Amino acid sequence: MDQSETFQDYVGDFGNYSWVVLFVNAPMDVVSKVYGETLQREMGHNLPITTSLPKQADQYDPTGAVVQVIDSDWVIIFHHVGRYRPLDSASDFSQQLQAKVLVFSGEDTSGTVDCELFSPENTKTRYQTTADFDEEAEIYEEMAEELEAAGVSPQPSTIIDSYEKLFQSLGIQTIELTLDESRSKAFVSEAYQHQIQRVDLICQPL
C-alpha cells in the first residue's frame, strides 16, 4: 500500500467500489465492546500484526476490524470493505457511546460517496466533495420520477475540498491494513507498522 494513495483509493480497491468505515471519537475498549454488542457477534482482541509488502494476493479486506491508532482520539471501524452494508443506526451508536461518529461510505451502484458526522446530541452533518455532490445530483435528475415515487429526496451536504482534508481537520489518522484468509492476523505495510496500537476483530465473517 502506497502512502501516496488516498484512504478512499485504498477502501475502494477490494473488488466492488463500496465500503462503510466508521471513525469513533471514543476509547478503544468501549468502542470494541459496543460494536460487538451492536452486531451481536463475538469480538476477538489484540489480533497479531505482521509487516508485509503492499497488498498481496493472499491478503483480504479488513471487514469487521476495529483499530486503535497510536496518538489518535479516533478509533477506526472497518465495518464493511468491498460491499455496502451500513450500520443499522449510526445515530444510535453515537448516542450509546456518547461520542462523535464519522461514517465514510461509498456505494458502487449509485456511485454515491459521502461522510456523515453524527453527534451524541442527535445532530448530523453530511459532507461531500463537489465532484461527488454533482454526480449524485445528476443521478437524482435522471431518476427523479422513480426516486420521488419511492419517497427518496436529495440530502443537503456541506461541500469540502477532499475527504482527506476533512479527516485531518477532525484529527483523524487513517491507516491501511489487510487480513489473512482465516482472519487470524492483520497485515500492514512498513509505512503503517508504527501507527497501529491494537486491532480487534469480529470473529465470524460479517
Side-chain angles (χ1 to χ4, degrees), residues 1-2 24 39 56-57 60 76 78 89 122 139 175 182 201:
M1 295 166 211
D2 181 355
V24 186
L39 298 181
Q56 304 295 298
Y60 298 83
I76 304 173
F78 291 97
S89 177
N122 201 27
I139 292 169
I175 57 92
S182 64
L201 182 68

Side-chain angles (χ1 to χ4, degrees), residues 99-132:
K100 291 180 179 179
V101 175
L102 182 71
V103 181
F104 180 43
S105 62
E107 200 270 308
D108 64 342
T109 302
S110 67
T112 300
V113 178
D114 67 12
C115 275
E116 292 183 311
L117 181 63
F118 296 86
S119 77
E121 295 79 29
N122 201 27
T123 62
K124 181 181 79 171
T125 305
R126 186 175 190 236
Y127 300 93
Q128 284 185 299
T129 62
T130 299
D132 288 329

Side-chain angles (χ1 to χ4, degrees), residues 20 75 81 134 170 185 200:
V20 179
V75 170
V81 179
D134 289 345
L170 293 171
K185 63 182 176 182
D200 290 356

Side-chain angles (χ1 to χ4, degrees), residues 179-199:
L179 301 174
D180 68 333
E181 187 173 11
S182 64
R183 297 170 59 83
S184 61
K185 63 182 176 182
F187 299 103
V188 298
S189 67
E190 291 184 357
Y192 296 97
Q193 63 177 329
H194 299 301
Q195 297 182 31
I196 299 175
Q197 185 163 333
R198 173 177 150 194
V199 178

